[in-house]
């Protein structure tokens, strides 16, 4: 599985820890930046990562900023992306099981590194349940088609 990664300056430390996790666990990844602590704009990095997921270049994405909120808003503007802002493993598991979310948003200043990596693990190792949930995801896709022309 190939993972699209992105962060702004407020998420760089956590992104670096996520990269270590991915490398230790055999995941491929593409890093869309930033790689500097200089102040930058999160849309410049979250957008190309989300687009890589929507275009099928990466199966999943992880975007990080100080809170996770800004990057999640950006990612969810891309048709085909279902980005979940998670701060616990329960949400990470159920957003995969029920929503088939393909991008995870995290906040470096909200979740400690150790727990963030457990969230990442749950997000990457949980499969979509399908069934009745497919109908709901299809309705999300229909909403995108209605408003994203």
């Amino acid at each position: 599985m190939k993972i699209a990664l992105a962060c702004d300056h407020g998420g760089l430390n956590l992104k670096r820890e996520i990269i270590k996790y991915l490398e230790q666990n055999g995941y491929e990844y593409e890093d869309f930046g930033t790689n500097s602590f200089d102040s930058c704009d999160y849309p410049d990095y979250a957008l190309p990562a989300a687009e890589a997921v929507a275009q099928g270049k990466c199966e999943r994405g992880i975007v990080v900023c100080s809170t996770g909120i800004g990057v999640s808003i950006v990612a969810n503007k891309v048709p085909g992306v279902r980005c979940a802002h998670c701060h616990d493993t329960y949400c990470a598991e159920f957003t995969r099981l029920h929503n088939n979310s393909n991008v995870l948003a995290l906040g470096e200043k909200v979740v400690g590194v150790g727990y963030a990596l457990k969230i990442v693990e749950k997000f990457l190792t949980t499969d979509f349940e399908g069934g009745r949930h497919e109908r709901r995801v299809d309705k999300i896709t229909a909403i995108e088609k209605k408003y994203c022309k």
Side-chain angles (χ1 to χ4, degrees):
M1 180 184 313
K2 188 171 182 182
I3 312 302
L5 292 174
C7 70
D8 67 357
H9 57 284
L12 183 55
N13 286 320
L14 181 53
K15 186 185 77 171
R16 287 178 174 168
E17 294 300 319
I18 292 168
I19 286 171
K20 289 179 195 174
Y21 170 86
L22 295 175
E23 289 174 345
Q24 291 168 354
N25 289 280
Y27 290 97
E28 280 186 76
Y29 65 90
E30 185 170 348
D31 185 354
F32 290 89
T34 190
N35 290 299
S36 168
F37 290 107
D38 295 337
S39 181
C40 63
D41 300 331
Y42 56 85
D44 296 339
Y45 303 97
L47 178 60
E51 289 172 333
V53 173
Q55 295 165 2
K57 295 175 183 173
C58 296
E59 286 81 12
R60 304 236 180 104
I62 302 171
V63 292
V64 186
C65 65
S66 294
T67 64
I69 297 168
V71 290
S72 70
I73 292 169
V74 171
N76 277 316
K77 296 295 182 186
V78 178
V81 168
R82 288 174 306 283
C83 179
H85 178 209
C86 297
H87 52 269
D88 60 60
T89 56
Y90 181 84
C91 289
E93 177 180 12
F94 277 83
T95 198
R96 287 288 309 132
L97 286 171
H98 292 185
N99 310 121
N100 200 16
S101 291
N102 50 13
V103 177
L104 171 66
L106 293 167
E108 179 178 310
K109 293 189 169 127
V110 178
V111 181
V113 171
Y115 196 52
L117 296 178
K118 290 181 184 303
I119 294 168
V120 167
E121 177 180 30
K122 190 60 77 173
F123 181 77
L124 295 178
T125 60
T126 302
D127 292 325
F128 179 49
E129 222 172 56
R132 70 185 192 277
H133 305 293
E134 185 66 48
R135 180 179 73 247
R136 296 163 185 161
V137 172
D138 289 345
K139 288 181 178 187
I140 294 169
T141 302
I143 293 166
E144 282 181 346
K145 288 179 181 174
K146 179 179 179 181
Y147 288 99
C148 299
K149 298 180 182 187

